[in-house]
Amino acid sequence: MNMKKVIVSRLFLALAVSLTLVGCKRSGGGSNTSRATGWDINSKDGGFQYNTKFKEQETAPGLVFVEGGTFTMGRVQDDVMHDWNNTPNQQHVQSFYMDETEVTNKMYLEYLDWIKRTYPPEEENFRAIYNGVLPDTLVWRNRLGYNEVMTENYLRHPGYGEYPVVGVSWIQAVEFANWRTDRVNEYQLQKNGYLKQGSELEATADANFSTDTYINSPTQTFGGNEEVLRGGKLKPQTNAAGEEINVYATRETGLISPKYRLPTEAEWEYAALGLSEVRSYNVYRGRKKYPWDGQYTRSGKRKIKGDQLANFKQGKGDYGGIAGWSDDGADITAQVKSYDPNDFGLYDMAGNVAEWVADVYRPIVDDEFNDFNYYRGNVYTKNVITEEGTVKVVTTDEIVFDTLPNGDIVARDLPGEIATQPVDEKETYLRTNFDRSDNRNFRDGDVQSSRYYSDFDEDEGEASTDEFTRKMYNSPKHNIEVDSSGNFIREYDKSSRRTSLINDEVRVYKGGSWKDREYWLDPAQRRYYPQNMATDYIGFRCAMSRVGSKSKGQRKTKN
C-alpha cells in the first residue's frame, strides 16, 4: 500500500471517529441515548421523552418507608378465642410506605373542608356527597353512659385535633385515600410548574383535579381550563415543526405518585411487628408478640420502667389505670405519638384505635395459592370509553349514588373522575392469571372451588346458580331502597337458614384499641366488621406501594 492510500485511509478513519463523537454529543450521550435503537431520548426536537435522571421514589407526605421481606403471618402466641382464623403461614411482602400515625381528626377535617368547598351541600345535587363522607359522631353514644361531650366535640374541637379520627367506615376511608392521592399529586405538579399555583383553591364541581383523569386525558382536568392547566411556571418545549411538547406531565416524568390506599392485611401485620432491627431466629419464625421487644405491655427501661407501652383497656372498668400512678395516659383515644414508635418508625400499631385494612375477611388465608403480597379483595375495572375514543369523565349531571345496606347514600364517582366499569371478556379471554372482574370469593365456595358446602336455595331448599357464590358464607341479605318521595323502604332478612355474618362486604380490621384488652394488641389477631359501618374504636392509616428498588438508596445499574 503506497503512502497516498495510507493517508486517505487515515482521513476516512478520522472522519468516522469525528462523526461518531458528534452524534454522541448531539444525543447527549449515556442515559439520553437509547440502548435499543441508538436514537436520541429527550431530544429538543421531540420524540421519546423520559426521565432518565430519576433516582428513587420520594417519600410522600405523612409516610415512612417499610422495607419488605418475609415473615410468619398469623397466630404465634395464645389463641384464647379458638377462632382458627389466623393459622401461621409464611408470606413475603414487597417494600411499601405507611402513615407514621393514624389519620387524625385534623387531617380528616381538611378533607371535609375541600369536599364542602368543591361540592357545596347547600346545592341539592351535592348534599349527599358531603353527607356521605361525614364521620358518624353518634358512635360515641351508649345507652347507659354519658358520652355526649365526645359526640359533640371529638371530631371538630382543636383539643382533639391530633387524635385519631373514628366513626369512619371502610368505604369512607377508601374515599379519603383517593382524595389524598389527588391533592398530593396536584401539589407536585404545581411545584414542578405543570399547574397554576393555588389551583386547589379554584376547584369547583365541574373543574377539579383527578390523578386518573390527568394521566388519561389531561385536557379534561379542571374542566379543560387552559389558564390552570397551562398557567404553571414550566415553559413547554417546541419541536422542529414548531409544535409544543412536554405540555403535560406523564408517568414517564416520575412526578406522579402511586396512590394512597389502605394497607393490605399482610402489609399491616408485617409493619406492626417492626422486624427491621431484630433479626434473631425466633423473630423470623414469628415469635414476636408485640410491636415492641419483649412479652409484656410495660416498659423495662430504667427511666420509664413500668410505664405502659400502648393505650388499651387494662381490666373491667379500668381504661387507663390509677390516676397519677400506673396510668397509660388516656381513657378513650390518646393523641398520636403519645408512645414510642416501633423499629419502622410507626406509632400506635398496638392500642389507641384498631385500624381498617383493605382485605375482605375470610377465616382462611389461602397461602397455598399465593404467598407473595397476599390480598383478598381484588375487583378489576377499566375506564369507560366514549364513542369518540376518549375516557368518559363524570359530570355534575351524571353522578350515580348508591344506597348502602344501612341507608347511607354515597356517590359512586365524583364529578371530574373517570367513570369505570368491570373488566369483561376482552381483558380476560385466554388469560391464566385472572378470568373475572370480582375476585373477592376466589377459591372460596364458587363453582371452581373444591371447598364445597351443602347446596341450598332461598325457598325451595335446592341449589340455584346464584347460590354457588354464597355456599360457604350464607349471610343475611337485607334490602333497602329509596322511593320517589325519598322515603326508605327497609326489608330485613328474617330467614332462619342463615349460617354466617361473613360476606363480600365485611372487611378485616387489625390491632387492639382503647376499648380492647391486652390480647388484641398482638398484630396477628384479626377481626371483621361490615365495610359500610363505623365504630368509636376503629380508625385507619394509609399506605402506598413503592416503585423501583426494594431498599432505599440502593445503587442503580449504570446505563
Side-chain angles (χ1 to χ4, degrees), residues 385-513:
I385 305 299
T386 65
E387 294 180 356
E388 291 75 25
T390 60
V391 294
K392 179 176 178 56
V393 177
V394 177
T395 66
T396 54
D397 299 326
E398 301 170 323
I399 308 173
V400 177
F401 292 97
D402 291 328
T403 302
L404 304 180
N406 62 351
D408 289 346
I409 299 175
V410 297
R412 188 178 301 174
D413 296 300
L414 294 178
E417 297 178 345
I418 297 177
T420 58
Q421 62 187 16
V423 298
D424 53 27
E425 194 179 38
K426 292 179 181 179
E427 288 77 29
T428 63
Y429 182 64
L430 292 183
R431 283 190 179 272
T432 58
N433 56 331
F434 73 99
D435 59 1
R436 69 189 74 178
S437 172
D438 189 345
N439 295 273
R440 289 175 295 180
N441 60 9
F442 177 69
R443 281 172 58 97
D444 195 35
D446 57 32
V447 293
Q448 295 182 358
S449 174
S450 60
R451 301 173 183 177
Y452 285 105
Y453 279 64
S454 60
D455 297 345
F456 55 84
D457 185 70
E458 297 282 326
D459 301 314
E460 292 79 10
E462 298 179 358
S464 67
T465 303
D466 292 340
E467 286 301 313
F468 274 110
T469 60
R470 297 192 291 269
K471 289 180 190 174
M472 199 166 186
Y473 301 107
N474 179 26
S475 60
K477 300 166 184 65
H478 305 302
N479 184 49
I480 186 167
E481 296 178 1
V482 182
D483 63 19
S484 58
S485 302
N487 300 316
F488 286 125
I489 303 175
R490 296 178 174 88
E491 296 180 5
Y492 294 98
D493 187 344
K494 298 180 180 180
S495 172
S496 60
R497 301 177 61 82
R498 302 308 178 199
T499 59
S500 174
L501 293 176
I502 300 173
N503 56 41
D504 289 344
E505 279 74 46
V506 295
R507 300 286 172 167
V508 179
Y509 70 94
K510 302 279 283 183
S513 74

Side-chain angles (χ1 to χ4, degrees), residues 9 12 16 67 85 95 133 153 155 167 270 295 319 356 387 408 412 415-416 473:
S9 298
F12 273 114
E67 183 174 345
N85 69 346
S95 297
V133 300
N153 294 285
L155 173 64
Y270 176 82
Q295 299 294 307
Y319 287 82
W356 289 115
E387 294 180 356
D408 289 346
R412 188 178 301 174
Y473 301 107

Side-chain angles (χ1 to χ4, degrees), residues 226-239:
E226 287 287 319
E227 182 182 349
V228 175
L229 293 171
R230 305 289 294 275
K233 298 179 181 179
L234 184 71
K235 293 182 178 180
Q237 294 175 275
T238 304
N239 62 19

Side-chain angles (χ1 to χ4, degrees), residues 108-347:
Y108 203 88
L109 285 174
E110 185 181 359
Y111 169 47
L112 293 180
D113 176 72
W114 188 90
I115 292 289
K116 193 171 186 177
R117 284 188 287 105
T118 308
Y119 308 104
E122 296 81 18
E123 298 184 30
E124 186 177 354
N125 197 32
F126 302 143
R127 190 171 302 137
I129 293 178
Y130 183 69
N131 292 338
V133 300
L134 279 173
D136 182 4
T137 58
L138 301 184
V139 295
W140 288 106
R141 285 184 172 168
N142 186 303
R143 295 179 185 87
L144 295 178
Y146 182 73
N147 297 329
E148 289 306 292
V149 65
M150 278 86 79
T151 299
E152 296 169 357
N153 294 285
Y154 184 81
L155 173 64
R156 298 185 182 275
H157 196 284
Y160 292 115
E162 292 299 328
Y163 283 57
V165 67
V166 296
V168 174
S169 70
W170 183 92
I171 293 174
Q172 290 174 320
V174 169
E175 289 303 313
F176 172 88
N178 293 337
W179 167 84
R180 190 175 175 186
T181 299
D182 292 339
R183 303 291 73 74
V184 168
N185 280 324
E186 184 178 7
Y187 172 75
Q188 284 294 328
L189 294 178
Q190 282 187 25
K191 188 173 71 171
N192 287 276
Y194 283 95
L195 291 177
K196 177 183 176 182
Q197 292 292 324
S199 62
E200 75 283 0
L201 300 176
E202 299 182 19
T204 65
D206 293 307
N208 57 70
F209 179 86
S210 164
T211 300
D212 287 337
T213 304
Y214 187 86
I215 291 172
N216 290 278
S217 182
T219 56
Q220 295 190 69
T221 312
F222 284 105
N225 187 338
E226 287 287 319
E227 182 182 349
V228 175
L229 293 171
R230 305 289 294 275
K233 298 179 181 179
L234 184 71
K235 293 182 178 180
Q237 294 175 275
T238 304
N239 62 19
E243 301 168 333
E244 287 186 338
I245 59 175
N246 298 334
V247 176
Y248 305 109
T250 61
R251 289 279 192 200
E252 289 83 355
T253 63
L255 295 176
I256 298 176
S257 168
K259 294 181 178 180
Y260 283 87
R261 54 177 175 79
L262 290 180
T264 66
E265 181 180 3
E267 287 175 335
W268 193 98
E269 189 171 327
Y270 176 82
L273 287 170
L275 305 178
S276 63
E277 297 297 328
V278 184
R279 298 293 187 184
S280 69
Y281 175 79
N282 281 336
V283 170
Y284 172 75
R285 296 303 301 168
R287 297 297 186 263
K288 192 176 183 187
K289 187 175 183 180
Y290 298 118
W292 53 83
D293 295 335
Q295 299 294 307
Y296 306 100
T297 63
R298 295 186 182 274
S299 174
K301 295 180 181 179
R302 185 172 181 179
K303 289 185 178 180
I304 55 172
K305 193 168 186 177
D307 285 0
Q308 290 288 6
L309 297 172
N311 174 22
F312 64 100
K313 183 178 179 180
Q314 298 181 34
K316 183 175 176 59
D318 183 0
Y319 287 82
I322 301 173
W325 180 82
S326 187
D327 192 1
D328 66 14
D331 38 29
I332 55 167
T333 57
Q335 182 170 315
V336 297
K337 296 189 177 183
S338 293
Y339 306 91
D340 289 340
N342 70 2
D343 288 337
F344 282 128
L346 302 168
Y347 293 86

